[in-house]
């Protein structure tokens, strides 16, 4: 009996100790650890990854807008949401109240989405309001408009001098090279020497890679290739109101991507006969780098032309090497203009931009 008694006491004691330990751990977690995590999240120090796709109604409307249009659009949607919310005060019958209750799930989703995209817009605005961003954008526009592209650029020198982002520097040098049909030998060597001195000898390889890719080259003879293409394809134009876009050039604040302008010439512009490169001026086609070819189906059955419910042709545009979101938005704009004959399916080997392209070219130290 004594043995049983001791065993029961020991068992009860262990159970009580275990219970006390669990209680203490729970107390520490709820009243000490949990508030710290809560404050940490609210303090903004923790990044939150958000998936954006067309299932989000707001994102589907926002993704192709020029940023100057985003603020007014969000403000308008917020006002519309407030109007819908005020309907609950106007409901005077059970049926009216039932209609409002049915809207509540959509109202809650819209409210969360509106808050999310307002936060994202504020973060983006902080970037584009920076002096460095506006200066870089201004210099890109000057090059595209063929201003001071035949000499050493002061802004590029300033960027190198203050150890700016190497990707931005290389982008500007390559853009100057493309616009001027190459860089003069003295200009080329000056840029190369300054970059190597400021950022390291590994960028000798970077310049070699840029040359191999055709992004950077020496000017062999004076040529107006870009100038002719710019005027012939109307690559630049003055955009007075980006909120009411009338041309694909709104996507880059006055510059129309050449790839999309060619698609516009082939598909959207009115013309008789089948889709063909013949719709584009032959003298312009000779200036565009790379070969161009076309496949002519032998019959309508071979063509396999698909159409949408609105009678538009379905056209596949495939970008080999990469496509930017700006080009995608420009193609969407073409498919949405009044009486557009085509709706585009866009395919690519990767989504890219200027910085990603330069990252592929920058040689690593090791």
């Amino acid at each position: 009996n004594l043995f049983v008694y001791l065993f029961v006491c020991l068992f009860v004691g262990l159970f009580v100790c275990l219970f006390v330990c669990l209680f203490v751990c729970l107390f520490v977690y709820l009243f000490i650890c949990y508030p710290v995590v809560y404050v940490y999240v609210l303090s903004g120090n923790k990044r939150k990854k958000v998936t954006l796709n067309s299932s989000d109604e707001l994102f589907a409307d926002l993704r192709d807008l020029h940023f100057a249009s985003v603020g007014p659009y969000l403000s308008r949607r917020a006002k519309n949401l407030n109007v819908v919310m005020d309907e609950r005060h106007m409901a005077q019958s059970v049926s009216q109240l039932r209609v409002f209750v049915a809207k509540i799930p959509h109202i809650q989703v819209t409210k969360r989405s509106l808050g999310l995209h307002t936060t994202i817009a504020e973060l983006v605005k902080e970037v584009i309001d920076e002096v460095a961003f506006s200066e870089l954008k201004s210099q890109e526009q000057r090059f595209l408009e063929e201003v001071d592209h035949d000499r050493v650029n002061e802004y590029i020198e300033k960027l190198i001098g203050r150890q700016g982002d190497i990707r931005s520097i290389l982008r500007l040098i390559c853009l100057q090279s493309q616009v001027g049909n190459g860089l003069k030998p003295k200009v080329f060597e000056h840029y190369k020497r300054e970059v190597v001195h400021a950022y390291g000898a590994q960028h000798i390889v970077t310049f070699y890679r840029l040359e191999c890719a055709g992004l950077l080259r020496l000017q062999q003879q004076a040529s107006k290739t870009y100038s002719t293409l710019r005027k012939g394809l109307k690559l630049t134009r003055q955009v007075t109101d980006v909120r009411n876009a009338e041309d694909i050039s709104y996507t880059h604040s006055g510059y129309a991507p050449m790839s999309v302008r060619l698609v516009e010439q082939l598909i959207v512009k009115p013309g008789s006969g089948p889709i063909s490169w013949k719709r584009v001026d032959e003298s312009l086609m000779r200036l565009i780098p790379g070969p161009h070819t076309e496949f002519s189906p032998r019959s309508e059955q071979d063509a396999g032309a698909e159409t949408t419910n609105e009678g538009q042709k379905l056209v596949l545009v495939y970008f080999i090497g990469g496509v930017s979101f700006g080009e995608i938005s420009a193609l969407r704009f073409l498919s949405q203009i009044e009486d557009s004959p085509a709706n585009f399916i866009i395919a690519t080997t990767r989504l890219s931009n200027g910085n990603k392209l330069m990252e592929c070219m920058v040689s690593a130290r090791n």
Side-chain angles (χ1 to χ4, degrees):
N1 292 337
L2 181 61
F3 178 80
V4 173
Y5 177 78
L6 292 174
F7 179 80
V8 171
C9 291
L10 180 63
F11 179 80
V12 172
L14 289 173
F15 180 80
V16 171
C17 290
L18 180 61
F19 178 81
V20 171
C21 289
L22 288 174
F23 179 81
V24 171
C25 291
L26 184 62
F27 177 85
V28 170
Y29 174 75
L30 289 177
F31 295 96
I32 299 178
C33 297
Y34 185 73
V36 174
V37 176
Y38 184 70
V39 173
Y40 182 65
V41 173
L42 291 184
S43 66
N45 294 326
K46 186 175 181 180
R47 292 178 178 269
K48 181 180 180 181
K49 190 174 182 179
V50 180
T51 301
L52 298 177
N53 52 47
S54 55
S55 64
D56 184 336
E57 179 185 340
L58 276 179
F59 179 68
D61 293 336
L62 285 169
R63 61 185 176 183
D64 297 322
L65 294 181
H66 189 280
F67 189 77
S69 307
V70 172
Y73 174 83
L74 291 174
S75 176
R76 187 167 61 252
R77 289 299 298 263
K79 290 178 182 177
N80 292 341
L81 184 62
N82 288 333
V83 171
V84 175
M85 291 290 292
D86 290 340
E87 290 180 1
R88 69 184 187 276
H89 302 300
M90 302 172 62
Q92 298 179 354
S93 65
V94 175
S95 59
Q96 290 176 337
L97 188 61
R98 186 183 300 113
V99 171
F100 176 77
V101 171
K103 294 180 181 178
I104 290 178
H106 182 264
I107 291 173
Q108 292 174 335
V109 171
T110 303
K111 189 175 181 179
R112 285 195 298 268
S113 180
L114 194 60
L116 170 66
H117 288 292
T118 300
T119 301
I120 294 174
E122 290 172 350
L123 295 173
V124 174
K125 191 174 187 301
E126 290 178 5
V127 176
I128 66 176
D129 284 347
E130 292 177 357
V131 175
F133 181 88
S134 59
E135 288 180 345
L136 178 63
K137 178 183 174 183
S138 176
Q139 185 55 60
E140 289 176 340
Q141 294 291 337
R142 287 171 63 83
F143 278 153
L144 290 171
E145 293 170 3
E146 302 179 80
V147 178
D148 296 335
H149 65 281
D150 58 347
R151 65 194 71 169
V152 173
N153 183 266
E154 292 183 4
Y155 177 69
I156 295 178
E157 284 192 306
K158 183 173 73 171
L159 271 183
I160 296 173
R162 65 188 186 195
Q163 292 279 297
D165 190 338
I166 185 64
R167 299 173 302 176
S168 299
I169 293 168
L170 295 175
R171 279 170 51 189
L172 286 174
I173 294 174
C174 290
L175 180 60
Q176 184 177 355
S177 175
Q178 294 297 312
V179 168
N181 195 39
L183 297 174
K184 293 179 179 179
K186 289 184 178 180
V187 176
F188 181 91
E189 291 301 326
H190 177 82
Y191 284 150
K192 186 176 181 179
R193 181 174 61 253
E194 291 298 310
V195 168
V196 169
H197 284 174
Y199 296 90
Q202 73 273 13
H203 289 293
I204 296 175
V205 180
T206 301
F207 272 74
Y208 173 74
R209 289 176 177 174
L210 292 170
E211 288 184 80
C212 291
L215 296 173
L216 197 59
R217 63 180 184 271
L218 287 172
Q219 189 180 87
Q220 303 298 333
Q221 58 183 4
S223 173
K224 294 186 178 181
T225 300
Y226 170 75
S227 182
T228 305
L229 288 171
R230 175 187 167 220
K231 294 174 183 177
L233 295 175
K234 298 179 181 178
L235 298 180
T236 59
R237 60 179 294 175
Q238 189 69 29
V239 178
T240 56
D241 186 7
V242 293
R243 299 181 185 181
N244 299 300
E246 299 178 350
D247 183 75
I248 60 173
S249 56
Y250 88 93
T251 57
H252 294 77
S253 301
Y255 174 76
M258 187 184 299
S259 57
V260 184
R261 188 65 93 195
L262 287 172
V263 172
E264 182 182 29
Q265 294 283 332
L266 291 171
I267 309 293
V268 180
K269 292 295 183 183
S272 58
I275 297 172
S276 171
W277 288 115
K278 294 178 181 178
R279 290 192 179 186
V280 184
D281 192 318
E282 186 178 352
S283 62
L284 296 177
M285 289 302 301
R286 286 198 298 264
L287 297 176
I288 298 174
H292 60 277
T293 185
E294 61 186 59
F295 166 74
S296 300
R298 289 172 293 181
S299 65
E300 288 292 329
Q301 186 175 2
D302 291 338
E306 297 286 343
T307 59
T308 64
N309 294 332
E310 292 77 21
Q312 293 177 306
K313 292 181 180 178
L314 283 176
V315 178
L316 172 65
V317 181
Y318 202 111
F319 292 85
I320 298 176
V323 63
S324 67
F325 283 107
E327 290 170 303
I328 293 174
S329 293
L331 283 171
R332 287 203 190 103
F333 177 85
L334 288 183
S335 66
Q336 293 168 2
I337 60 178
E338 188 176 358
D339 298 327
S340 174
N343 194 22
F344 300 102
I345 299 174
I346 306 167
T348 183
T349 52
R350 67 175 295 178
L351 290 170
S352 188
N353 56 39
N355 283 341
K356 288 183 179 179
L357 181 59
M358 290 302 109
E359 286 169 5
C360 293
M361 298 295 167
V362 172
S363 64
R365 288 184 179 273
N366 297 324

